[in-house]
């Protein structure tokens, strides 16, 4: 099982100065082709067109994979600057006897819903749009990026055309890149079936934070995606996985904060065990949302539990087989409290049963 260090590229390309915030305009750093690049003030190693190459190399030396979080289409800043589109061999993209530019491909009426001033779709019918996206992802591969979280193209922002284009580009790139989609707001199994074969993972819920209501909402979602056979379905150059979002354990910042003040997760240990168990049984990608630099022993023990990691990685045919949920309260404060799989589990040959007195999941298989 491999670990990935994920950077929010949309934030790292934005200058960290007064007036810059999530949906601000005019603070992004772009190259001469309109592509976001790291802010050289915040990332000195990126100077001279090196991008994240040095950072990726350091991450790889640590035995980790390197990932970035990117947005849909093209930035508003590039469209406003009307930068040229890069074509083959680093030359301007030419078509119909002229060079094409950012304003030719940007669709201002298809802006990202939660970052409307920042990014917009590109016209899927234009070769210039595909050339721009290809130049983006080929650059990521040159930097040594192993994982891309592509935001504003799924859920409420569904853009199947862009997903198809990026998927085809990634098939052609020699350096393998895991392809992930976000956000997961209002995602249904039927929506997921449109894209699951094109990607490796995709969010199926909104942002998951450290409240029991957030955790509880994932039980039905996990059940439904399992019933539709979407766990481990065919994906881009391999399989694809419904993503239940991060595990908000340990030391966290507040919702929407890029930095501190920091705090401890509001989930009780029982609630964290329950969440980790469900994520493992549903075979969700395990994305730790806490501060790994300051992790406590209980949290580290939980996220590295060998049994749960083996279930997450090697089990098959995982599904819910029983439901009798009568409580609206967290497991730590109710008489029918959910018992974590870490505390109570049974194995019968290759069959593993995870029972929490209200929801029962079953999985098959073993590591060998």
């Amino acid at each position: 099982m491999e670990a990935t260090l994920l950077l929010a590229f949309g934030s790292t390309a934005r200058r960290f100065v007064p007036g810059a915030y999530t949906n601000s305009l005019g603070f992004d750093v772009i190259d001469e082709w309109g592509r976001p690049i790291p802010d050289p003030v915040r990332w000195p190693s990126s100077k001279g067109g090196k991008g994240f190459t040095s950072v990726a190399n350091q991450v790889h030396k640590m035995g980790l994979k390197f990932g970035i979080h990117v947005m849909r289409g093209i930035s508003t800043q590039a469209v406003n600057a009307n930068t040229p589109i890069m074509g083959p061999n680093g030359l301007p993209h030419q078509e119909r006897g002229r060079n094409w530019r950012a304003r030719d491909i940007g669709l201002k009426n298809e802006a990202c819903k939660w970052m409307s001033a920042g990014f917009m779709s590109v016209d899927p019918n234009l070769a210039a749009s595909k050339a721009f996206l290809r130049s983006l992802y080929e650059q990521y591969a040159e930097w040594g990026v192993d994982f891309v979280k592509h935001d504003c193209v799924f859920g409420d922002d569904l853009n199947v055309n862009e997903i198809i284009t990026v998927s085809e580009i990634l098939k052609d790139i020699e350096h393998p890149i895991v392809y992930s989609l976000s956000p997961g707001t209002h995602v249904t199994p039927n929506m997921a079936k449109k894209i699951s074969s094109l990607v490796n993972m995709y969010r199926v819920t909104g942002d998951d934070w450290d409240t029991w209501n957030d955790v509880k909402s994932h039980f039905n979602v996990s059940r439904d995606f399992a019933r539709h056979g979407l766990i481990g379905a065919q994906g881009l150059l391999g399989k694809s996985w419904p993503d239940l979002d991060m595990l908000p354990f340990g030391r966290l910042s507040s919702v929407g904060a890029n930095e501190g003040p920091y705090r401890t997760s509001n989930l009780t240990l029982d609630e964290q065990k329950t969440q980790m168990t469900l994520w493992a049984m549903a075979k969700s990608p395990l994305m730790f949302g806490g501060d790994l630099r300051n992790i406590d022993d209980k949290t580290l023990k939980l996220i590295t539990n060998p049994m749960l990691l083996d279930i997450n990685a090697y089990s098959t045919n995982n599904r819910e087989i029983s439901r009798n949920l009568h409580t609206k309260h967290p497991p730590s404060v109710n008489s029918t409290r959910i018992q974590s799989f870490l505390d109570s589990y049974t194995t019968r040959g290759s069959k593993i049963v995870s029972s929490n007195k209200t929801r029962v999941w079953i999985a098959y298989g073993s590591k060998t």
Side-chain angles (χ1 to χ4, degrees):
M1 183 172 292
E2 297 174 318
T4 300
L5 176 65
L6 180 64
L7 290 179
F9 187 28
S11 298
T12 56
R14 183 156 295 174
R15 295 194 296 274
F16 192 47
V17 295
Y21 58 97
T22 300
N23 201 30
S24 58
L25 176 61
F27 296 95
D28 294 330
V29 182
I30 57 176
D31 66 10
E32 67 270 28
W33 303 105
R35 302 174 300 182
I37 56 174
D39 176 8
V41 175
R42 301 173 66 186
W43 302 89
S45 65
S46 70
K47 293 179 180 178
K50 295 178 181 178
F52 278 127
T53 303
S54 296
V55 176
N57 287 340
Q58 287 297 113
V59 171
H60 293 154
K61 288 178 182 178
M62 297 167 64
L64 301 172
K65 299 293 187 180
F66 179 65
I68 57 176
H69 178 182
V70 303
M71 307 303 293
R72 79 188 300 166
I74 191 169
S75 72
T76 304
Q77 194 162 321
V79 172
N80 289 346
N82 203 23
T83 52
I85 304 300
M86 177 188 280
N89 303 317
L91 299 174
H93 176 79
Q94 289 191 333
E95 186 184 353
R96 303 175 194 171
R98 68 179 179 90
N99 293 343
W100 286 65
R101 308 183 77 89
R103 288 180 191 166
D104 296 321
I105 66 173
L107 298 176
K108 292 185 177 181
N109 62 330
E110 294 187 16
C112 172
K113 283 185 170 61
W114 65 270
M115 206 173 183
S116 57
F119 293 85
M120 66 185 74
S121 295
V122 293
D123 190 333
N125 299 312
L126 296 176
S129 297
K130 295 179 180 180
F132 175 76
L133 293 174
R134 179 171 290 278
S135 73
L136 272 182
Y137 284 84
E138 286 181 345
Q139 178 174 251
Y140 300 154
E142 290 170 1
W143 290 347
V145 171
D146 307 297
F147 178 102
V148 167
K149 178 182 178 181
H150 193 184
D151 210 332
C152 277
V153 293
F154 196 46
D156 289 339
D157 287 286
L158 181 64
N159 188 330
V160 175
N161 287 322
E162 184 162 329
I163 295 169
I164 291 173
T165 299
V166 172
S167 182
E168 291 175 346
I169 291 169
L170 293 179
K171 283 182 182 178
D172 294 337
I173 292 176
E174 184 175 348
H175 179 76
I177 295 178
V178 173
Y179 188 26
S180 170
L181 301 184
S182 188
T185 46
H186 303 113
V187 171
T188 64
N190 286 335
M191 180 189 293
K193 288 177 181 179
K194 297 178 181 179
I195 55 83
S196 61
S197 64
L198 304 170
V199 303
N200 302 113
M201 52 188 280
Y202 49 93
R203 283 272 301 279
V204 293
T205 66
D207 291 348
D208 173 65
W209 278 90
D210 52 329
T211 71
W212 175 244
N213 282 335
D214 275 13
V215 175
K216 186 174 64 174
S217 67
H218 289 74
F219 280 94
N220 287 347
V221 173
S222 302
R223 175 203 62 200
D224 293 344
F225 278 79
R227 283 179 177 175
H228 282 80
L230 287 162
I231 297 177
Q234 181 180 349
L236 173 63
L237 301 176
K239 296 183 178 182
S240 62
W241 310 92
D243 175 11
L244 300 181
D245 200 21
M246 69 175 185
L247 297 164
F249 303 160
R251 188 170 181 253
L252 307 172
S253 62
S254 297
V255 178
N258 292 325
E259 296 186 354
Y262 295 96
R263 58 186 176 79
T264 301
S265 175
N266 289 319
L267 294 173
T268 67
L269 183 58
D270 278 345
E271 292 167 355
Q272 292 178 52
K273 288 180 177 180
T274 300
Q275 181 171 7
M276 183 71 184
T277 301
L278 176 62
W279 265 233
M281 292 296 284
K283 294 180 70 69
S284 170
L286 301 177
M287 310 291 286
F288 181 68
D291 182 358
L292 280 172
R293 301 166 302 173
N294 297 278
I295 190 168
D296 60 276
D297 290 340
K298 288 183 179 179
T299 302
L300 181 61
K301 182 179 179 181
L302 176 60
I303 66 173
T304 59
N305 181 275
M307 176 67 77
L308 289 180
L309 295 183
D310 282 352
I311 292 171
N312 182 258
Y314 302 109
S315 60
T316 60
N317 199 22
N318 302 38
R319 64 193 188 279
E320 182 181 284
I321 59 173
S322 176
R323 178 178 187 269
N324 183 27
L325 187 60
H326 298 298
T327 177
K328 296 181 180 179
H329 301 290
S332 58
V333 296
N334 190 277
S335 60
T336 58
R337 59 186 292 177
I338 295 177
Q339 297 296 323
S340 168
F341 179 67
L342 295 179
D343 296 327
S344 176
Y345 67 88
T346 59
T347 59
R348 302 184 184 92
S350 62
K351 182 168 69 175
I352 304 167
V353 179
S354 173
S355 174
N356 57 24
K357 293 188 178 180
T358 58
R359 315 289 287 242
V360 180
W361 275 66
I362 190 169
Y364 294 84
S366 62
K367 185 174 181 179
T368 56

